[in-house]
Amino acid sequence: MNRFLSLGNVARSATTNLMIKVPCRTYIRPHYYNNSLSEAVRQQQNPLKRISRRLNNMDPNKVLWTIIGTNLGVFLVWTYAKNSYSQFGDARWLNFMYRHFTVSEASFDSGRYYTLLTSAFSHNLLPHLGMNMFVLYSMGQGVLEAIGPSRFLLLYAGAGLCASLTTLAYKKYIRPSLERSKYGYHQRGRHEFSLGASGSIMGLTSFFACAFPRATFLVFFIIPMPAFACVGLFAAYDIYLASSLNSGIIDSAAHVGGAAYGLGYWFLRVRPLLKAGRWRV
């Protein structure tokens, strides 16, 4: 298969065209009670806690723009790589980007596990980048203010990793079975590479919908819809596309994986601590 031509057919799509209205913003912050002095001292000496505190002392806008800038920087390298190949026949940069900024069974089997994360910062098409960054900027501000920069970065990275693992599992185990049932054979070589921030953004979106259920999304800038209903509908649509083999260039499995991580972070991490009184709302 021509690896240079396959990439355009595997880009993850942006989440959706939407704008967000948050009528009432609730702030979520960790708040621990009845800690002993020795436990507090241990937390102060924990290097991960120190890094977390430094991140949380940063301006949230700088954190958000750093992520957007990183995505933009990777896109510019993709642009240079494609131009270098098309104009001069030099495939070195293009091979480099394929190897290190897309996720595939080949990259995973070769031990390039970091591509599970680097692919979440990687776009090779301007519309794909623009839509994802628009949704990230719109959604990210509310999530950043709710949980702070350190947890925001963990949520973004965790959703991206979960999205990559989900798409690998889908391509290796689920899609072949669906293709055999539908076509009578497995169409090997299709959708080999995947990239894009959509999985991470779906994680942020699903978390946002849980944390701010009264927020209103303007789908396609026109149709008002409650946040949770909007995210649920798009997740259901992605499940339909993946199960019916009609996703086309959209990596619907990655969307589902990212959304599942965001839901899991809310229901398994934040919500239990809120009920236990260990988080302040």
Side-chain angles (χ1 to χ4, degrees):
M1 184 175 86
N2 189 332
R3 299 178 65 190
F4 304 119
L5 298 179
S6 65
L7 185 60
N9 295 326
V10 295
R12 295 177 187 162
S13 74
T15 307
T16 182
N17 297 326
L18 53 81
M19 295 183 66
I20 304 153
K21 292 183 178 180
V22 185
C24 179
R25 177 163 292 165
T26 303
Y27 295 92
I28 306 167
R29 288 288 184 268
H31 192 68
Y32 300 97
Y33 298 93
N34 301 322
N35 283 347
S36 65
L37 179 60
S38 60
E39 183 180 352
V41 171
R42 285 197 300 270
Q43 289 183 359
Q44 290 289 330
Q45 294 174 344
N46 188 325
L48 294 178
K49 294 287 185 181
R50 291 179 181 178
I51 294 173
S52 177
R53 285 195 299 271
R54 290 180 180 178
L55 287 172
N56 288 330
N57 287 332
M58 293 178 61
D59 182 355
N61 282 326
K62 290 183 179 179
V63 175
L64 185 59
W65 281 108
T66 298
I67 296 176
I68 294 174
T70 301
N71 280 274
L72 177 59
V74 176
F75 168 76
L76 292 177
V77 179
W78 269 115
T79 302
Y80 173 81
K82 291 192 294 183
N83 289 338
S84 180
Y85 178 68
S86 63
Q87 294 181 14
F88 307 108
D90 184 357
R92 290 176 297 175
W93 276 99
L94 198 56
N95 280 326
F96 175 86
M97 297 303 292
Y98 269 100
R99 286 179 58 83
H100 302 295
F101 286 90
T102 67
V103 64
S104 65
E105 290 183 47
S107 65
F108 190 81
D109 293 340
S110 300
R112 298 194 298 274
Y113 306 123
Y114 54 86
T115 59
L116 296 172
L117 182 59
T118 57
S119 61
F121 294 86
S122 180
H123 303 79
N124 77 320
L125 299 173
L126 184 58
H128 187 203
L129 172 73
M131 184 56 64
N132 274 347
M133 294 305 99
F134 171 75
V135 179
L136 174 61
Y137 180 77
S138 302
M139 202 80 58
Q141 295 180 84
V143 179
L144 262 169
E145 292 179 5
I147 61 178
S150 64
R151 288 176 176 80
F152 178 86
L153 292 174
L154 288 174
L155 180 57
Y156 183 98
L161 289 170
C162 188
S164 295
L165 290 171
T166 302
T167 197
L168 288 178
Y170 172 78
K171 293 171 186 175
K172 187 171 184 178
Y173 300 109
I174 301 175
R175 186 177 183 92
S177 177
L178 293 173
E179 287 182 340
R180 291 188 188 98
S181 298
K182 185 173 183 178
Y183 306 117
Y185 59 92
H186 171 37
Q187 302 180 22
R188 297 188 61 84
R190 295 187 61 198
H191 308 281
E192 184 177 353
F193 299 98
S194 188
L195 73 167
S198 301
S200 294
I201 292 172
M202 280 297 293
L204 297 174
T205 303
S206 60
F207 180 89
F208 184 99
C210 293
F212 309 114
R214 289 180 291 176
T216 299
F217 289 176
L218 295 180
V219 182
F220 304 114
F221 309 103
I222 299 174
I223 306 170
M225 185 176 294
F228 199 83
C230 180
V231 173
L233 286 174
F234 277 97
Y237 184 59
D238 277 316
I239 293 173
Y240 163 75
L241 290 178
S243 61
S244 62
L245 302 177
N246 291 322
S247 56
I249 65 171
I250 301 172
D251 193 345
S252 297
H255 291 181
V256 174
Y261 185 90
L263 291 174
Y265 190 80
W266 170 261
F267 284 106
L268 300 178
R269 172 64 177 169
V270 176
R271 195 163 179 262
L273 292 178
L274 286 171
K275 286 187 173 182
R278 297 182 64 190
W279 283 62
R280 182 174 61 220
V281 180

